[in-house]
Amino acid sequence: MADTWANSPATEASKDSSERAGGTDLHLDLSGGGSLRGRLMNALREAIRCGRLAPDTRLPPYRTLAQDLGIARNTVADAYAELVEEGWLSARQGSGTRVARRAEPLRTERAPRPQRPVRRRVLHDLMPSSPDAAAFPRAAWLSSARRALAAAPSDAFGVGDPRGRPELRETLAEYLARARGVRTEPDRIVICSGFAHALKLLGRVLEGPVAVESYGLGFHWELLDDAGLGTVPLTVDAHGALVDELMGTGIRATMLTPAHQFPTGGPLHPERRAAVIDWARSCSGLLVEDDYDGEFRYDRQPVGAVQGLDPDRVVYIGSVSKSLSPALRLGWIVTPGWLVDDVLAAKGPREMWSSVTDQLTLADFIACGAYDRHLRHMRQKYRRRRDLLARTIAQRAPHVKVRGIAAGLHAVLDLPHDSEDAALRAAHMQGLAVDGLRLYRHPGSTMPRRDGLVIGYGTPPDHAFTAAVDALCLALPDLPNDDG
């Protein structure tokens, strides 16, 4: 019966069609006792029984599978034929050998999934730090990808250099000097997969504790804590961090957002920029500069990077997460010359994080001017949204102050004392995804607690932004009644 099945015209037609198609790669364990045919049949039954081979999966031609397993072709043909007879497989003209549809895998009992609490559907996403995903320059990026791949040398498709592709590092050195006032050379730039990756690498080379701003992103502090460094909060006011608090502490590393303090807003005051460099020089310390929102300044010329004041005492970190898309996972660390080898040692001997093809594409995207054009376009778009947000709140809730809007993709709405929780509940009832200011306060900070909302205006599509602002105004607290 097996010989008849293996050589029937229908089977031969199926075999030819299946072999032309190339078949499916299988992992089969033929260990154990007994004949090869019996072990192969057991392995196929187990693969079907446990669900690794789903119903209607097409199996490799028996000639191909025999070559892969190093066994005789007739052994595979006989095993297939017998499994067809048993009902595990089916063989039809023109469709090859497949797992029978009735050969359902065994189903294991699963514990019931916990019920999630019912939450109101999010209608408008006003979370901070997210760009307008719909505005990604797909056509321009695709053009750059084509040019970059056509011009890429063959070594670009080998094992990646942990520094990153030289094309991107050279382009970044020129761009950062022109646009951000950064002073560096390509061999002092290390490509990474974003700010968090950069901070993980620095966590292996810095000496703790690290001074940070009292308001910021909690997961950045957690990364430093996980590295065993610990964080010490610095007071933040309208002019940025009070860097004088560093003096005499013995701390030798600090992390700041000088271009636009996140989330409270405002650049680091010029006197404080000079003071933090004086501190770093006096104690052989290091400033980690998070160039947060450096590209998106609306009311005057962008504030240059502090790194330009002393490239030997500043580690400058940037990325395309907000300027293009967080999905690209591309960033860069501009290091002092004496720190490059330590950062590379922390990263490892080869590139395992950032796609080389994306690096090449970004290099072309910047070099051809598409990046500058995209940033100019997005500045106009985000400025219009910022202006609409500020104007509407000034008209409908004038007692709520809008702060931190000279740059970036978010604003802080100052709220009356003890009203943040109520405002968050009201926002959620309106279908808004928003954050409270308290979420960004360092747990060790001694600053007086502020109530507020952190409103991102980058994510909502243009057609929905007005409705999002209207819903936000409905969630804001009324003017406090001073009459008691």
Side-chain angles (χ1 to χ4, degrees):
M1 185 68 183
D3 291 340
T4 302
W5 177 84
N7 295 301
S8 67
T11 305
E12 288 299 321
S14 298
K15 177 194 71 173
D16 292 342
S17 171
S18 184
E19 287 182 348
R20 285 195 299 270
T24 304
D25 287 339
L26 295 182
H27 170 72
L28 298 172
D29 183 2
L30 302 188
S31 61
S35 67
L36 270 176
R37 187 188 65 164
R39 282 182 274 160
L40 176 58
M41 291 174 62
N42 288 337
L44 286 169
R45 289 192 195 100
E46 180 60 25
I48 295 169
R49 188 181 292 116
C50 72
R52 287 199 299 114
L53 287 177
D56 210 36
T57 298
R58 187 174 189 167
L59 298 185
Y62 43 77
R63 178 178 298 166
T64 302
L65 186 58
Q67 291 174 346
D68 290 345
L69 298 177
I71 61 179
R73 175 173 172 268
N74 285 341
T75 300
V76 179
D78 290 346
Y80 276 16
E82 192 160 342
L83 290 173
V84 168
E85 291 296 318
E86 293 179 2
W88 292 94
L89 304 178
S90 64
R92 287 184 236 153
Q93 185 174 1
S95 65
T97 304
R98 297 176 180 269
V99 176
R101 293 185 180 179
R102 62 182 173 276
E104 292 289 343
L106 292 177
R107 302 186 181 276
T108 57
E109 293 295 325
R110 295 184 179 180
R113 297 180 65 181
Q115 295 295 316
R116 292 183 177 181
V118 177
R119 297 185 64 183
R120 185 172 293 271
R121 184 166 66 95
V122 173
L123 301 177
H124 304 290
D125 186 353
L126 295 179
M127 299 295 283
S129 303
S130 297
D132 183 352
F136 183 80
R138 304 182 191 201
W141 185 261
L142 180 59
S143 296
S144 286
R146 287 172 173 160
R147 284 193 300 269
L149 290 176
S154 296
D155 69 350
F157 303 100
V159 176
D161 184 341
R163 293 176 184 268
R165 286 300 302 176
E167 297 90 340
L168 179 56
R169 291 186 286 111
E170 290 167 5
T171 301
L172 280 173
E174 297 172 0
Y175 170 78
L176 294 174
R178 168 172 59 82
R180 304 296 302 127
V182 170
R183 293 191 289 150
T184 191
E185 300 293 335
D187 61 2
R188 291 168 60 174
I189 297 176
V190 178
I191 303 302
C192 57
S193 66
F195 186 88
H197 183 211
L199 201 56
K200 280 188 175 182
L201 297 177
L202 291 175
R204 300 179 185 178
V205 301
L206 295 178
E207 296 181 10
V210 179
V212 297
E213 296 158 332
S214 276
Y215 280 88
L217 287 171
F219 82 91
H220 289 173
W221 306 328
E222 290 170 3
L223 288 174
L224 294 173
D225 288 339
D226 290 344
L229 299 178
T231 56
V232 176
L234 299 174
T235 303
V236 172
D237 62 17
H239 300 296
L242 295 181
V243 296
D244 287 348
E245 294 179 356
L246 291 167
M247 306 304 177
T249 61
I251 292 174
R252 297 183 58 196
T254 185
M255 182 173 68
L256 305 177
T257 52
H260 187 227
Q261 203 288 318
F262 181 84
T264 62
L268 188 64
H269 191 277
E271 292 182 2
R272 297 182 186 180
R273 291 161 67 92
V276 74
I277 293 299
D278 289 342
W279 160 81
R281 289 171 176 170
S282 68
C283 67
S284 298
L286 199 64
L287 164 63
V288 178
E289 180 175 11
D290 178 1
D291 196 26
Y292 190 85
D293 290 338
E295 304 94 342
F296 296 121
R297 190 153 206 94
Y298 310 118
D299 295 340
R300 58 180 181 273
Q301 288 298 315
V303 177
V306 176
Q307 189 269 0
L309 298 178
D310 193 337
D312 288 332
R313 288 293 152 200
V314 180
V315 176
Y316 173 94
I317 304 176
S319 77
V320 298
S321 293
K322 291 192 296 300
S323 59
L324 283 172
S325 167
L328 289 178
R329 307 313 310 152
L330 282 174
W332 46 87
I333 314 172
V334 180
T335 70
W338 54 269
L339 196 61
V340 173
D341 289 343
D342 290 341
V343 172
L344 289 174
K347 190 177 183 187
R350 60 177 62 189
E351 179 57 74
M352 298 186 293
W353 305 94
S354 300
S355 164
V356 167
T357 55
D358 284 345
Q359 291 184 47
L360 294 171
T361 301
L362 179 59
D364 181 273
F365 194 75
I366 296 173
C368 75
Y371 190 55
D372 287 291
R373 290 190 293 272
H374 176 71
L375 288 177
R376 285 195 295 271
H377 170 70
M378 297 311 296
R379 280 191 206 105
Q380 295 172 358
K381 176 190 286 280
Y382 293 143
R383 180 169 184 165
R384 288 194 296 270
R385 294 185 183 186
R386 178 206 69 164
D387 291 347
L388 174 62
L389 173 68
R391 183 172 61 250
T392 303
I393 291 178
Q395 293 169 352
R396 297 176 56 179
H399 58 287
V400 174
K401 301 302 180 185
V402 183
R403 303 189 188 278
I405 59 174
L409 304 181
H410 76 279
V412 173
L413 309 187
D414 282 346
L415 299 179
H417 183 63
D418 279 340
S419 63
E420 183 176 309
D421 289 340
L424 286 171
R425 288 193 296 269
H428 294 158
M429 291 298 294
Q430 292 294 330
L432 295 171
V434 297
D435 270 347
L437 183 59
R438 192 184 315 156
L439 178 67
Y440 299 93
R441 185 175 184 271
H442 192 286
S445 175
T446 59
M447 291 179 60
R449 197 192 81 186
R450 292 172 53 184
D451 285 70
L453 297 179
V454 184
I455 304 300
Y457 48 82
T459 302
D462 286 339
H463 71 272
F465 188 67
T466 299
V469 175
D470 288 341
L472 174 64
C473 289
L474 294 175
L476 294 177
D478 294 330
L479 183 67
N481 186 352
D482 293 333
D483 296 333

